[in-house]
């Protein structure tokens, strides 16, 4: 697709000198063309214009011929002597490395210039060539490596010597663009079906753009475009979006709209929408906003509908799941009823067993409690008598004390205790045949005192073994007291174990009684 740019040239000679470019083609341009397949023989000339042509003029001497016409017409006093048009072609349209396409490019530029400046379509008729001097120069240089034409038009009319003038240069450029599309289409180039006319730029604006200068309308358009993008993304009005960008939007009547702001040079600028382009006119702005509102409303409806569908789907799933759970519950209920019946019979049997066990435990606890109370009172008496004989200085004193204890135990009525309690009491495993005879004697004394406290003493006497007697006879008074103290403490501790056992059995009996009471309530 070919594009055109159009601007004024104050000096026609300067514009032609640049376009003709004698001996100004750079070596790196030639090297690039050859490297990409251009035949070296086609690059013999060093001029920038590799192909040139002219209408009503010789392209080689165009500067002098145009000057002669201007001097004859008005003394060459016009401010802008020429119009310059740059016609560029995409790489898909014309191959910059093919010399045949160079000639084709120049022919397209020639035909475009002929039609644009008034030439008729029929070559046989007068007026086929326009009444202007036009030079067409084809270039292969440039950063983008694209074929392009420099078309220089002398503004002086050859018929009446008046200057080329139009009411609206921008409208003229648009008409030139249509002619350019028509010519390119005839030469087999592809042209888009429709070109965007949303942005309108005057010739002055385009000249400033070419020079790289600041264009305040471009700045204004960019701010408006950013605001339009924002209202599409965010729920905000166009007025607020423009205000955040320091642009004041004014709507007047039914069709009027204008934009005002302070540009980067500090000048207050204002422009109507139609001067910026069709995109910025009141009608299109309003339609854009209405379209966004409709999209938001549609998205809201879709979201609401989606929510309703999700809720309906969830409700259906919940009902189906509930039905499945009910069916499962009915089946499980039947199984539970059967299990409950069997469990009820098992519980009744278990309660009966518990009641029997509770009865036996209560009877046992009563006996144990009575035995405990008797042992407790007897132990107090026993300890009182032992304290009377606590002055041990020799083995004879110790033996005498133990014999008196045996005598006192013999005088007591014979008592029995459950074997379980005796086993708990003697569970510490006191050594019977220790290699240390003093330790063995201490163990014997401890067993004796425990049996006396339990009321299970039946032998009626206590006597150390011969070896223990010999060891005790050699013991010092301090050792004898220590042995006697150890035996008493051990006996007291083991008696405490019996008390704890009795208390635990009492608590167990209470728990069994509570279980039996629950069983009675269950049967009721």
């Amino acid at each position: 697709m070919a594009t055109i740019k159009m601007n004024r040239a104050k000096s026609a000679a300067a514009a032609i000198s640049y376009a003709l470019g004698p001996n100004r083609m750079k070596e790196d341009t030639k090297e690039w063309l050859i490297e990409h397949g251009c035949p070296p023989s086609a690059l013999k000339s060093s001029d920038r214009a590799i192909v040139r042509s002219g209408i009503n003029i010789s392209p080689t001497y165009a500067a002098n011929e145009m000057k002669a016409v201007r001097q004859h017409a008005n003394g060459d006093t016009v401010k802008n002597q020429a119009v310059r048009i740059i016609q560029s072609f995409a790489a898909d349209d014309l191959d910059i490395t093919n010399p045949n396409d160079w000639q084709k490019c120049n022919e397209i530029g020639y035909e475009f210039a002929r039609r644009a400046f008034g030439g008729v379509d029929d070559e046989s008729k007068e007026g086929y060539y326009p009444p202007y001097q036009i030079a067409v120069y084809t270039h292969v240089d440039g950063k983008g490596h694209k074929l392009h034409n420099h078309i220089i038009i002398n503004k002086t009319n050859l018929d009446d010597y008046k200057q080329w003038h139009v009411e609206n240069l921008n409208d003229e450029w648009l008409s030139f663009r249509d002619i350019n599309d028509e010519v390119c289409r005839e030469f087999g180039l592809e042209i888009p079906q429709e070109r965007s006319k949303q942005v309108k730029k005057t010739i002055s604006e385009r000249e400033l753009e070419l020079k790289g200068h600041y264009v305040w309308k471009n700045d204004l358009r960019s701010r408006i475009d950013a605001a339009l993008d924002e209202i599409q993304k965010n729920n905000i009005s166009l007025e607020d979006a423009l205000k955040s960008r320091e642009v004041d939007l004014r709507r007047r009547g039914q069709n009027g709209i204008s934009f005002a702001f302070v540009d980067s040079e500090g000048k207050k600028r204002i422009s109507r929408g139609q001067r910026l382009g069709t995109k910025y006119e009141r009608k299109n702005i309003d339609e854009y906003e209405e379209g966004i509102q409709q999209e938001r409303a549609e998205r809201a409806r879709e979201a609401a509908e989606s929510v309703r569908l999700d809720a309906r789907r969830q409700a259906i799933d919940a009902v189906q799941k509930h039905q499945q759970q009910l069916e499962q519950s009915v089946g499980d209920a039947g199984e539970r009823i059967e299990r409950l019946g069997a469990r009820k019979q098992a519980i009744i049997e278990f309660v009966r067993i518990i009641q029997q066990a509770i009865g036996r435990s209560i009877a046992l606890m009563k006996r144990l409690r009575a035995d405990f109370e008797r042992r407790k009172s007897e132990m107090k008496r026993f300890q009182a008598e032992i304290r009377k004989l606590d002055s041990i200085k020799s083995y004879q004193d110790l033996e005498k004390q133990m014999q008196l204890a045996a005598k006192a135990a013999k005088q007591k009525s014979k008592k029995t205790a459950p074997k379980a309690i005796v086993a708990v009491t003697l569970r510490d495993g006191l050594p019977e045949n220790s290699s240390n005879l003093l330790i063995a004697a201490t163990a014997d004394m401890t067993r004796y005192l425990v049996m006396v406290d339990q009321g299970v003493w039946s032998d009626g006497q206590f006597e150390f073994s011969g070896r223990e007697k010999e060891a005790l006879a050699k013991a010092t008074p301090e050792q004898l007291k220590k042995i006697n103290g150890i035996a008493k403490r051990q006996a007291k501790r083991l008696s405490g174990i019996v008390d704890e056992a009795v208390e635990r059995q009492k608590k167990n009996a209470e728990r069994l009684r509570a279980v039996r009471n629950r069983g009675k309530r269950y049967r009721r």
Side-chain angles (χ1 to χ4, degrees):
M1 182 187 71
T3 61
I4 59 172
K5 295 180 181 179
M6 180 177 174
N7 55 38
R8 301 182 186 89
K10 292 183 178 181
S11 171
I16 292 172
S17 176
Y18 179 84
L20 186 59
N23 298 318
R24 293 180 187 173
M25 180 180 285
K26 297 181 180 179
E27 290 299 324
D28 56 352
T29 299
K30 292 183 178 181
E31 293 175 358
W32 185 93
L33 291 170
I34 294 172
E35 182 181 349
H36 287 78
C38 179
S41 59
L43 299 171
K44 294 179 180 180
S45 174
S46 297
D47 296 342
R48 295 188 68 193
I50 55 174
V51 181
R52 65 192 74 172
S53 61
I55 300 175
N56 300 322
I57 199 171
S58 169
T60 305
Y61 305 103
N64 293 330
E65 293 180 14
M66 288 183 181
K67 183 177 180 181
V69 171
R70 289 194 306 273
Q71 286 179 341
H72 178 72
N74 50 37
D76 200 12
T77 60
V78 294
K79 182 178 180 181
N80 296 308
Q81 299 174 352
V83 175
R84 175 171 47 211
I85 298 175
I86 299 176
Q87 185 183 37
S88 300
F89 298 86
D92 295 336
D93 295 330
L94 297 175
D95 185 3
I96 195 172
T97 62
N98 186 354
N100 294 329
D101 283 355
W102 300 351
Q103 183 63 39
K104 185 177 181 180
C105 176
N106 189 268
E107 291 175 0
I108 294 173
Y110 180 94
E111 183 62 21
F112 159 72
R114 189 190 68 77
R115 295 187 190 181
F117 285 88
V120 298
D121 292 337
D122 191 352
E123 187 174 1
S124 62
K125 292 184 179 181
E126 185 179 354
Y128 180 78
Y129 293 98
Y132 292 97
Q133 294 172 305
I134 303 173
V136 182
Y137 304 96
T138 302
H139 289 190
V140 293
D141 58 355
K143 295 181 180 179
H145 297 292
K146 294 180 181 179
L147 270 172
H148 60 280
N149 291 322
H150 285 253
I151 303 173
I152 312 299
I153 304 97
N154 192 15
K155 291 177 63 178
T156 303
N157 192 301
L158 295 175
D159 292 340
D160 56 14
Y161 298 108
K162 293 182 179 180
Q163 298 300 306
W164 181 75
H165 176 74
V166 292
E167 297 255 339
N168 190 321
L169 290 177
N170 191 59
D171 292 341
E172 190 70 18
W173 173 82
L174 292 175
S175 67
F176 283 179
R177 188 181 65 178
D178 294 338
I179 295 172
N180 178 63
D181 291 349
E182 181 181 353
V183 173
C184 290
R185 192 178 293 109
E186 291 176 1
F187 277 83
L189 275 61
E190 293 186 3
I191 303 298
Q193 293 298 324
E194 293 184 4
R195 289 180 179 267
S196 174
K197 296 182 181 180
Q198 294 182 334
V199 177
K200 295 181 180 179
K201 293 185 179 180
T202 64
I203 299 299
S204 299
E205 290 180 66
R206 299 181 194 283
E207 290 179 351
L208 289 174
E209 287 179 351
L210 289 174
K211 295 177 181 179
H213 294 172
Y214 171 74
V215 181
W216 67 267
K217 283 189 178 180
N218 288 345
D219 187 6
L220 179 57
R221 290 188 189 98
S222 64
R223 298 190 190 193
I224 298 172
D225 292 341
L228 293 174
D229 291 339
E230 183 179 0
I231 67 173
Q232 187 176 19
K233 297 176 182 178
N234 303 324
N235 188 12
I236 185 174
S237 66
L238 179 60
E239 287 79 358
D240 293 338
L242 288 171
K243 189 175 293 184
S244 65
R245 291 165 175 80
E246 300 180 351
V247 177
D248 183 20
L249 172 65
R250 300 175 185 176
R251 302 177 192 262
R252 300 186 306 278
Q254 295 181 351
N255 300 320
I257 189 170
S258 63
F259 306 90
F261 80 119
V262 177
D263 65 9
S264 62
E265 297 175 352
K267 297 180 181 179
K268 186 175 182 179
R269 303 287 189 176
I270 186 169
S271 175
R272 294 181 181 180
Q274 62 185 9
R275 294 182 181 274
L276 299 175
T278 58
K279 178 181 178 180
Y280 308 98
E281 293 178 356
R282 173 70 176 272
K283 179 182 177 181
N284 293 329
I285 291 290
D286 292 344
E287 289 178 355
Y288 184 81
E289 290 184 292
E290 290 176 2
I292 291 175
Q293 292 175 358
Q294 290 176 359
E295 289 179 4
R296 289 174 182 168
E298 185 64 25
R299 286 197 297 269
R301 284 195 298 271
E302 291 176 357
E305 184 66 22
S306 176
V307 170
R308 286 195 296 270
L309 289 175
D310 291 343
R312 188 180 306 167
R313 191 178 297 109
Q314 291 176 359
I316 293 173
D317 294 341
V319 170
Q320 292 177 349
K321 185 176 180 181
H322 184 62
Q323 289 177 347
Q324 294 175 357
Q325 291 176 348
L326 285 177
E327 294 174 359
Q328 183 67 27
S329 299
V330 171
D332 294 343
E335 295 178 0
R336 284 198 298 271
I337 290 172
E338 295 178 0
R339 290 197 299 270
L340 286 174
R343 190 180 300 171
K344 181 178 180 181
Q345 295 298 327
I347 291 175
I348 292 173
E349 181 65 20
F350 176 68
V351 169
R352 186 181 62 78
I353 295 172
I354 289 177
Q355 288 176 343
Q356 294 176 358
I358 289 174
R360 290 193 298 270
S361 297
I362 290 174
L364 176 61
M365 287 301 301
K366 288 180 180 179
R367 291 195 299 272
L368 289 175
R369 185 64 183 175
D371 292 343
F372 172 74
E373 293 297 335
R374 285 194 296 271
R375 285 197 303 274
K376 189 174 181 181
S377 60
E378 291 170 0
M379 189 63 186
K380 288 181 180 179
R381 291 194 298 271
F382 170 75
Q383 290 176 347
E385 292 186 6
I386 289 297
R387 279 194 292 273
K388 294 178 182 178
L389 302 172
D390 206 14
S391 56
I392 298 175
K393 296 181 180 180
S394 63
Y395 163 69
Q396 288 77 11
D397 293 338
L398 181 61
E399 186 179 20
K400 182 179 179 181
Q401 174 179 308
M402 299 308 298
Q403 289 175 353
L404 290 175
K407 183 178 179 180
K410 186 176 181 180
Q411 293 176 356
K412 294 190 297 181
S413 59
K414 183 177 180 182
K415 303 177 182 63
T416 60
K419 294 182 179 180
I421 298 179
V422 176
V424 170
T425 306
L426 300 178
R427 68 182 177 182
D428 284 30
L430 295 172
E432 297 179 355
N433 299 315
S434 175
S435 60
N436 190 325
L437 297 176
L438 294 178
I439 294 176
T442 304
D444 290 340
M445 291 172 62
T446 302
R447 288 193 186 89
Y448 166 68
L449 294 175
V450 170
M451 293 174 72
V452 169
D453 180 50
Q454 290 180 352
V456 296
W457 174 258
S458 59
D459 295 339
Q461 62 181 355
F462 174 81
E463 186 175 359
F464 294 114
S465 66
R467 297 175 62 197
E468 291 175 349
K469 288 180 180 179
E470 292 177 1
L472 292 171
K474 297 178 182 179
T476 62
E478 289 76 12
Q479 289 178 330
L480 293 174
K481 287 184 178 181
K482 186 174 182 181
I483 291 169
N484 190 36
I486 292 172
K488 289 179 181 179
R489 287 193 297 275
Q490 285 284 82
K492 185 176 180 180
R493 183 177 64 81
L494 293 175
S495 296
I497 292 175
V498 174
D499 295 340
E500 292 176 1
V502 172
E503 289 297 325
R504 283 196 300 272
Q505 290 190 4
K506 182 178 178 182
K507 292 179 180 179
N508 290 336
E510 291 176 354
R511 285 196 294 271
L512 290 173
R513 190 180 298 109
V515 172
R516 182 181 66 177
N517 293 335
R518 285 198 298 270
K520 288 180 179 180
R521 289 196 298 271
Y522 178 77
R523 285 187 297 171
R524 288 197 296 268

